[in-house]
Structures are given as C-alpha cells and as structure tokens.
Amino acid sequence: MQSKQQYSHKLTKLILTTYLCCLPLIACNNQQQVSQENQPSPTAEPQTSSTTAPLLQASLPQKNNYFLDNQIWGENGDKQNLLAAIDNSLSYLQTSQSKAAYQKYIIPEITKERVEKSLIRFRELVVNSQNAEELQAAVNKEFVLYKSIGSDNQGNILFTGYYKPIYQASREQTSEYRYPVYRLPDDFKNWSKPHPTRLELEGADALQADKGKLKGLELYWLKSRIDAFIAQVQGSAVLEFADGTTTSINYAGNTDHEYVSLGKELIKDGKLEQEGITLEKVINYLEENPESQDEYLPRNPRFIFFRDTKDAAAIGSLNVPVTPERSIATDKSLMPPGALAIIRARFPFINQGEIEQRLVSRYVLDQDTGGAIKSPGRVDYYIGIGKEAGDRAGAIVNQGELYYLLLKD
C-alpha cells in the first residue's frame, strides 16, 4: 500500500511476518481444502519459451461460473469500489512510471496499451452488466487468462492480508504517549550503507532515538510500542487525537535491511507453536510478556518511515489509493502493475462475531507491493481500515489461485 507497499505491504502483515514462517504447514493443510471443494482449475498452457515466465496463458475453466464474483451486486455490493479501483489503475497507466515499468516487462505480449484497453473494456462490462453471471459470461468471451505459476510452478499462491490500523495518538510526547513514528530524513539518500538497524536507531526499548539519527524526526507519538511497530509492518495507519481530529500516515521509505518475521522468531525459540500461528497470537504473546518486546522487536532490523497524508486513503506502490478488497500487492519485478486480475481462494468473513472462511473469487487490481511479497507465489490482499479489517486480514493464510485478464488480440 506505497505502504507495505513499497515495503509493504507492505505488507506486511505483516501479518506477513507470521505467515511466511508457516509455508510448509499452509501448503499442506489449506491446499487440500481448496481442491476438495472445487472444480479443477484452468490449466496453464506454455506460451513463451522462457521457463521462468511468472505467468502462462491458461484455458478457461470447464465450469462457466468458476470465477463468479458475487460481491459486486446486491445489498452490500461494492460495485463503486471496484470501479474506483479500475479508475486508479487507469490513472497510473497515464504516468511515466507505468511507461518505464512496461518497457522492461518480461512478457512481451502484456503491454501497457493492452492492459489499459483491457481495463477500459472491463469497466464498461461492469457498468452495463446486470448481475455477476452476465459479467462473467462476457469476460469468458472477450478475455484471455494468464495464470501465475505460483511458488511451485503449479499455480499455488499463498495469500496473506493487510489493512490500515487505527490508533490513538498525540502530537506531543507525554508520559502516556511515548512511542514515536518518524518522518523520512531529508538526507536519507546520503545515509551510508549498511543502514543502521532498528536496534541502533531506537534502542532495545524503542525510547533511545533522541540520541541518534532519528532525533527531531518524530511525527506523532503512540501509546503502545506494539502499535508503532505494527504501523510499520502495515505501512500506514489512521491516528486519532484527543481533540477528536484525525490524520493518516503512509509509507515514505525504509532502511535497507531484510524483513524478519517475529512469528518465525517466536516459533524458533519455542514461545509459540507453528500450527495455527496468526498475527493476533504474536501480538498477544508480546503484550502478555512485555519484557520480551525488548528482545524480539529489534530482531526485525528493517525500519519504516512515514509521511503525514492528512486523512488520505492508503497509498500503494503505484502512488494511487488501494481499495478495500479490490487491491492486491504482488512482486512488481514479476507481475504487471495496475493490471486487472482475479483471485480465487478462501478468505475470512465475520458472521455473528465469528470469523469464517469462505471460498470466493474476486476481481482485483494489482496496485501494491511489499517487502515480504517476493516470487510469483505470494499475494497480499488489502482488506480495509480498522479493527474488523485487521481481524480479517490477520486470518488470511490461505492457498489459492491468481490470474490476470487481458482482452483477446
């Protein structure tokens, strides 16, 4: 989101943090659930001489409604959100950034012009279709699919989720609000490498920053050290002040260190079990064992800087807003930026206060990236803002499929 986003995601999560450590478990448990409930997925047909191409053209599924997106219409439909996300991608495709990205894109037939035409036509279909079945029939007729090869060259994708948290904050440091979030240093490009680690920048207790490079860079102060850390993991946050006003902070840059998963560290040290690991469990452990925060939080050496965006939406790596449940983050060295895609996997929904996983298909726009989102086998799904979005995002550790849709030549 550029949140997790350029780092992102951005994740992210993230949530990411806890999930990456669980890849073997996830692949074992969740993929079986998907295959038991579904028709066979469309098969990939090699269309390029490169064995490393991240996308391969795929045949249409035998089941016409395999990709049916039932969230666009109805009482709680998000048709306008989908249209807004399409418009954001179309705006990106008018930029010099997009021109440069597609000039070097590794699949020759996926061009900026083709992606743009595909978005324009798909938008027309969304506007003019009366229901999900009518839209899907038109898409099946006019578009071709390019399937991600996944992490295993078989099309299996690990999905995680990210969101924009809401935290209480102060414009001044107080005894209650002690933990800052920081703006990007003006001279950051001149920092020598290797960059300082998180431990070197803010100390083991995250309260020593005024003694080093971060002094004077404080944007706002948060109550909880974990809140400040998770804001960095997510790449953005909404901040609420005591006077009733709010603002948003979004990703501005990061130090040049690899992201380290706290979930993985806690599992390695025997503090948590690998099975069923979630972001919530990691946070609960750290809150219930506050003395552990000085040990574990500095193990992630990557440090994120923010900019105050004055209540703007979360912004992805394409410098356009990300839209709840209609934007994804992928590895932008492999995937076509701004392009239309469809994802199919189990995702969490809240039903009478409880999280339940449902197998769904969703049209999405590829508008973000993340520090932990590497390879064709990773997708981070933007869920939205606030606690409910966070609860749902934290429950996404599922296998699924990713396809890009392009108009037929």
Side-chain angles (χ1 to χ4, degrees), residues 23-38:
L23 287 175
L25 174 65
I26 294 165
C28 177
N29 292 341
N30 292 1
Q31 180 57 33
Q32 185 177 7
Q33 293 177 340
V34 171
S35 62
Q36 285 175 343
E37 293 199 23
N38 284 296

Side-chain angles (χ1 to χ4, degrees), residues 207-266:
L207 294 174
Q208 309 304 314
D210 60 351
K211 300 177 182 179
K213 284 181 171 290
L214 298 182
K215 184 177 181 179
L217 299 177
E218 298 90 346
L219 278 173
Y220 302 106
W221 286 262
L222 306 185
K223 281 185 176 182
S224 163
R225 180 182 182 184
I226 294 176
D227 289 351
F229 183 86
I230 297 299
Q232 290 197 26
V233 172
Q234 300 300 326
S236 66
V238 175
L239 304 183
E240 297 180 335
F241 302 103
D243 61 4
T245 61
T246 63
T247 195
S248 289
I249 54 173
N250 278 320
Y251 170 92
N254 61 265
T255 55
D256 190 23
H257 290 287
E258 290 297 318
Y259 181 83
V260 172
S261 161
L262 297 191
K264 182 176 181 179
E265 293 298 301
L266 289 166

Side-chain angles (χ1 to χ4, degrees), residues 115-246:
V115 169
E116 184 175 11
K117 289 179 181 178
S118 300
L119 287 172
I120 291 172
R121 178 54 181 157
F122 180 74
R123 193 186 196 285
E124 293 173 348
L125 293 175
V126 173
V127 169
N128 295 322
S129 297
Q130 300 302 308
N131 52 55
E133 290 79 9
E134 183 178 336
L135 174 63
Q136 193 57 50
V139 168
N140 289 349
K141 180 179 179 181
E142 299 186 32
F143 287 75
V144 293
L145 302 174
Y146 283 81
K147 183 177 183 178
S148 172
I149 63 174
S151 57
D152 55 0
N153 291 327
Q154 300 298 316
N156 292 314
I157 307 294
L158 173 63
F159 286 88
T160 51
Y162 67 106
Y163 74 110
K164 190 173 185 177
I166 301 174
Y167 296 131
Q168 293 181 312
S170 172
R171 294 182 176 88
E172 297 179 353
Q173 184 178 18
T174 69
S175 59
E176 185 177 13
Y177 294 88
R178 299 192 298 158
Y179 298 100
V181 291
Y182 298 90
R183 66 173 177 86
L184 187 70
D186 294 336
D187 63 347
F188 185 63
K189 291 183 178 179
N190 298 323
W191 280 23
S192 60
K193 294 183 179 181
H195 287 158
T197 63
R198 178 181 300 275
L199 179 63
E200 293 167 335
L201 285 172
E202 62 178 9
D205 62 359
L207 294 174
Q208 309 304 314
D210 60 351
K211 300 177 182 179
K213 284 181 171 290
L214 298 182
K215 184 177 181 179
L217 299 177
E218 298 90 346
L219 278 173
Y220 302 106
W221 286 262
L222 306 185
K223 281 185 176 182
S224 163
R225 180 182 182 184
I226 294 176
D227 289 351
F229 183 86
I230 297 299
Q232 290 197 26
V233 172
Q234 300 300 326
S236 66
V238 175
L239 304 183
E240 297 180 335
F241 302 103
D243 61 4
T245 61
T246 63

Side-chain angles (χ1 to χ4, degrees), residues 350-365:
I350 296 179
N351 183 16
Q352 297 182 343
E354 299 293 329
I355 291 284
E356 65 178 27
Q357 300 280 346
R358 303 175 193 166
L359 181 63
V360 298
S361 297
R362 291 287 181 265
Y363 289 108
V364 293
L365 286 302

Side-chain angles (χ1 to χ4, degrees), residues 17-18 224-227 229-230 233 259-267 269 271-272 277-300:
T17 140
T18 66
S224 163
R225 180 182 182 184
I226 294 176
D227 289 351
F229 183 86
I230 297 299
V233 172
Y259 181 83
V260 172
S261 161
L262 297 191
K264 182 176 181 179
E265 293 298 301
L266 289 166
I267 291 170
D269 292 350
K271 305 298 184 181
L272 291 176
I277 188 72
T278 64
L279 178 63
E280 181 180 13
K281 289 182 179 180
V282 172
I283 292 175
N284 287 344
Y285 177 86
L286 295 172
E287 289 179 338
E288 292 167 3
N289 300 275
E291 72 285 352
S292 69
Q293 296 178 26
D294 289 1
E295 176 182 358
Y296 284 99
L297 296 185
R299 291 194 189 184
N300 176 21

